Amino acid sequence: MTVESSRTVWSRMRRDWLLLLLGAPGIAAVLVFSYLPLAGNVIAFKDYQPYLGVIGSPWVGLQNFQILVDGDPAFRTALINTLIISLIQVVFVFPAPILLALLLNSLLSERVKRVVQSVLYLPHFMSWVIVVALFEQMLGNSGLLNTWLQGNGFGTIHLIGDPGLFKVLITSQVIWKDTGWGTILFLAALSRIDLTLYEAAAVDGASRLRQLWHVTLPGIRSVIFLLLVLKLGDVLTVGFEQIILQQQAVGTQASDVLDTYVYTNGVINGEWGVAAAVGLVKGVVGVALVLAANKVAHLFGERGVYSS
Amino acid sequence: MSSSVISRAAGRRDHRPAVPPPARRARRGPALPVRLLKGLVLLVCCAVVVVPFLAVVSTSLADEHQIDAAGGYVLWPTHPTLAAYRAILSGGVVTHALLVSVGITVVGTALSLTCTAMLAYGLSRPGSFAHRPLLLMVLFTLLFTPGIIPNYLVVKELHLLNSYWSLILPVLVNGFNVIVMRAFFMDLPADVLDSARVDGAGEVSVLLRMVLPLSKAILAVIGLFYAVGYWNSFFTAMLYLNDTDKWPLQLVLRTYVVDSTPLSTSALNVAGDVAPPQQSLQMAILVLSLVPILLVYPFLQRHFAKGILVGAVKG
């Protein structure tokens, strides 16, 4: 039996060796740069010294995780900021593309719709450096808005560089960059809604608002759930590049999030073990949240990210 | 779509049939004030996107007098000049960074697209040897992202720090792109490919002569996505490259525009000439960094219209 099956394995390998060979470079890249870093997480349990290397550094057990329990003030600030920003973004950023998609979908002119889409998708393809630069040029203390205000005898408004407004600023940047692009999945779902449902609703005397509530929203419900589940997995990941670029002006108290904390503590300050420990816990919690959110989606009768 | 066109055309006419067909009633346009309001909202949305780009491009082209008169920014250059572009492209820091960015983008995209297409094809035949575990391996990468620290350690241990390869190899293959391309390959007419195989064509020639020519659209989209990613990458360069000489354009943009470090004449290589105003120089760097995206954008846009990506995401 084993001889038989090993012969089939061997013959299947001989049959498919070329497919395997074609896939090999890609598989190697995935192994080295997606899976090998998982193994690199062992330094969360070590006192990593760059000159000793990952393997040579001494084990320290759970010492690096102490910070999570002790409530180190810098870590606590980062965690709280992360949660606040995530909450703000679920409330303000998440619904924005839904509203825009509903608006675009209600347009009768296909041409207008296409032009607006082309314009609003564009910011998604700009790097964070460009977006931050554009915001500074427009809203900064010597930016377009303030030069205009001064030129017309008004005072200046400090929108950028004010720690109190930092979370508002980064939220508006996310909205500016990704709202248009975010509509793409909702518009696809909206275009699949059976038009006869609207006809039936209209015959039954449903107003446009009721049609929206009873036909349109149920039609995009599963997409909303899917994206919400994915978003939940990202609750601990907020705008790393975006924040790193703007952190200097407002200080860490207002702007530090878990990812920037990991970066500054690990790469800059050399607290490798602690940074890796925080990163590891963050990653595990993220995966757990996706799985949990997916479970909840199933309870609501939705498909979620994957069906079990 | 067609029913909305019909209803719109019908809505304009005065004579209506006594009993309107239900489709028309359901999709009839809303009242005029509502339509005006919608138009206004969309106009504001578009202006919020367009005005910054317009101001940046215009200021980069404006001359010193106009910038001084306007207090920093112009929305339309009255005497357009390319002086700022000439200054930054005359062989200083910015020119170098531009070449670095172009090099990384070209080499990276070529390698990424090749590896992605080969892997997607290798995984496109269900039932082939190790098909399932390999596919799952790629799928799982979508679920988690290794943290900054472990990524850094891998790059460091492979001695890729401070090498341009550190910007390419870690992002060489994107699992999502592999899945999208594989779905596209699997939708190709199997009987055509099989008949080629029966006629004695090997896998490699089936891939090169049949699969790839039939998949130009998806190759273009995925290629452009990779290219945009390489062009825009900023943090990996900041993390892995220590030499400022090796910096790509995005980091130079950060230094001179986001952090507004003044560009000295030595950084510009315009000794002797009068340097254009800082404002235009900064804006010109910003424009340089976004022009390639604006150039490829119409091609990307064409493919969104075809719904290729959404279709692939669905499946």
Side-chain angles (χ1 to χ4, degrees):
Chain A
M1 195 65 198
T2 43
V3 177
E4 186 69 30
S5 69
S6 77
R7 191 189 291 155
T8 35
V9 165
W10 178 238
S11 65
R12 282 174 67 207
M13 242 170 99
R14 275 201 18 195
R15 189 191 63 195
D16 297 329
W17 67 274
L18 209 56
L19 288 177
L20 292 169
L21 190 68
L22 283 171
I27 290 294
V30 169
L31 274 177
V32 172
F33 292 104
S34 294
Y35 286 92
L36 192 58
L38 291 185
N41 275 314
V42 294
I43 71 152
F45 305 95
K46 288 188 160 203
D47 177 18
Y48 176 70
Q49 304 291 340
Y51 58 92
L52 292 176
V54 173
I55 296 171
S57 296
W59 294 94
V60 292
L62 292 175
Q63 192 188 312
N64 290 325
F65 291 86
Q66 200 63 34
I67 195 172
L68 298 167
V69 194
D70 290 351
D72 162 68
F75 170 72
R76 207 184 312 161
T77 308
L79 178 64
I80 290 172
N81 278 335
T82 306
L83 293 176
I84 293 177
I85 294 171
S86 265
L87 185 68
I88 296 178
Q89 298 201 343
V90 170
V91 175
F92 292 98
V93 177
F94 189 77
I98 304 179
L99 296 177
L100 184 61
L102 290 175
L103 182 58
L104 282 172
N105 191 55
S106 73
L107 292 181
L108 293 181
S109 158
E110 283 295 322
R111 268 239 326 266
V112 173
K113 194 164 138 187
R114 263 211 306 279
V115 171
V116 174
Q117 274 174 291
S118 310
V119 172
L120 297 184
Y121 286 172
L122 184 61
H124 173 77
F125 296 96
M126 299 292 153
S127 69
W128 272 115
V129 189
I130 295 179
V131 173
V132 169
L134 283 176
F135 264 72
E136 277 184 9
Q137 300 304 326
M138 295 303 110
L139 306 176
N141 289 346
S142 53
L144 182 68
L145 177 69
N146 277 322
T147 6
W148 184 83
L149 286 175
Q150 274 172 330
N152 289 281
F154 303 101
T156 49
I157 333 176
H158 294 276
L159 294 170
I160 288 177
D162 181 341
L165 287 177
F166 184 72
K167 296 185 178 75
V168 178
L169 175 70
I170 61 167
T171 305
S172 52
Q173 285 167 347
V174 175
I175 292 180
W176 187 83
K177 189 174 192 280
D178 280 332
T179 299
W181 181 248
T183 60
I184 210 165
L185 284 176
F186 294 112
L187 284 172
L190 286 168
S191 71
R192 283 199 299 272
I193 294 177
D194 188 356
L195 286 179
T196 55
L197 290 175
Y198 288 104
E199 292 161 18
V203 167
D204 290 347
S207 67
R208 290 186 70 85
L209 214 59
R210 289 194 65 114
Q211 290 180 26
L212 178 73
W213 185 253
H214 290 292
V215 182
T216 311
L217 284 181
I220 57 173
R221 209 173 80 133
S222 55
V223 181
I224 295 179
F225 263 93
L226 172 80
L227 294 180
L228 210 51
V229 168
L230 288 175
K231 175 75 208 153
L232 264 171
D234 273 348
V235 151
L236 296 181
T237 310
V238 285
F240 172 68
E241 288 200 351
Q242 185 192 6
I243 292 173
I244 266 289
L245 280 166
Q246 305 178 86
Q247 203 164 27
Q248 230 170 8
V250 293
T252 51
Q253 189 66 32
S255 67
D256 218 13
V257 292
L258 287 177
D259 281 336
T260 54
Y261 175 88
V262 168
Y263 170 68
T264 348
N265 252 15
V267 181
I268 308 286
N269 299 341
E271 296 268 356
W272 297 94
V274 173
V278 173
L280 179 59
V281 170
K282 183 188 155 262
V284 171
V285 171
V287 173
L289 280 173
V290 172
L291 299 182
N294 204 54
K295 197 101 198 154
V296 173
H298 285 172
L299 291 180
F300 277 99
E302 294 292 340
R303 263 186 23 205
V305 180
Y306 56 87
S307 28
S308 47
Chain B
M1 193 211 290
S2 64
S3 96
S4 78
V5 172
I6 293 165
S7 72
R8 189 184 53 180
R12 288 215 190 101
R13 290 198 194 118
D14 289 324
H15 58 88
R16 298 179 175 188
V19 183
R24 228 179 64 185
R25 233 164 75 188
R27 298 292 291 170
R28 192 178 51 211
L32 189 65
V34 178
R35 257 191 285 177
L36 281 178
L37 185 69
K38 278 184 191 169
L40 192 68
V41 170
L42 289 176
L43 199 66
V44 169
C45 289
C46 289
V48 164
V49 170
V50 171
V51 167
F53 290 114
L54 182 69
V56 164
V57 173
S58 300
T59 309
S60 76
L61 294 170
D63 62 351
E64 197 156 6
H65 301 294
Q66 202 190 354
I67 291 179
D68 283 345
Y73 296 87
V74 296
L75 285 176
W76 197 254
T78 43
H79 305 285
T81 159
L82 290 172
Y85 292 92
R86 242 177 270 131
I88 58 173
L89 292 177
S90 63
V93 171
V94 182
T95 317
H96 183 87
L98 181 68
L99 292 177
V100 168
S101 280
V102 169
I104 289 168
T105 305
V106 169
V107 174
T109 306
L111 288 176
S112 283
L113 200 55
T114 309
C115 290
T116 304
M118 288 189 340
L119 179 54
Y121 186 71
L123 293 176
S124 68
R125 213 85 55 72
S128 71
F129 181 75
H131 165 264
R132 237 186 115 68
L134 290 179
L135 182 63
L136 280 177
M137 210 176 95
V138 174
L139 274 172
F140 269 126
T141 62
L142 303 180
L143 202 61
F144 62 87
T145 39
I148 298 161
I149 303 288
N151 274 340
Y152 180 86
L153 289 179
V154 166
V155 169
K156 182 172 173 288
E157 299 282 324
L158 294 175
H159 300 286
L160 292 175
L161 281 185
N162 224 8
S163 145
Y164 288 131
W165 291 111
S166 66
L167 307 187
I168 294 176
L169 295 179
V171 286
L172 187 65
V173 171
N174 175 298
F176 182 76
N177 290 343
V178 173
I179 303 298
V180 169
M181 203 181 277
R182 171 182 177 268
F184 192 93
F185 288 166
M186 288 176 79
D187 272 351
L188 293 175
D191 41 349
V192 179
L193 302 185
D194 281 339
S195 66
R197 286 186 194 111
V198 169
D199 290 347
E203 284 302 338
V204 174
S205 68
V206 169
L207 176 62
L208 290 179
R209 303 242 176 92
M210 309 200 68
V211 173
L212 293 184
L214 285 171
S215 311
K216 276 183 199 139
I218 195 74
L219 289 170
V221 176
I222 301 285
L224 288 173
F225 268 101
Y226 275 125
V228 169
Y230 281 117
W231 181 261
N232 281 344
S233 84
F234 134 78
F235 179 66
T236 43
M238 181 175 135
L239 189 60
Y240 300 137
L241 300 182
N242 301 322
D243 291 350
T244 48
D245 310 348
K246 292 194 172 166
W247 277 5
L249 193 58
Q250 299 288 335
L251 274 174
V252 166
L253 177 67
R254 182 184 76 135
T255 311
Y256 294 110
V257 183
V258 175
D259 297 345
S260 32
T261 313
L263 270 157
S264 61
T265 42
S266 63
L268 285 175
N269 201 15
V270 286
D273 288 340
V274 179
Q278 284 292 324
Q279 191 76 351
S280 337
L281 290 175
Q282 290 188 347
M283 295 307 106
I285 300 175
L286 191 46
V287 171
L288 272 190
S289 66
L290 51 85
V291 155
I293 305 228
L294 291 180
L295 288 181
V296 299
Y297 185 66
F299 295 97
L300 271 172
Q301 178 66 27
R302 220 178 54 205
H303 293 297
F304 302 150
K306 284 187 200 154
I308 284 177
L309 285 176
V310 174
V313 171
K314 225 176 32 181

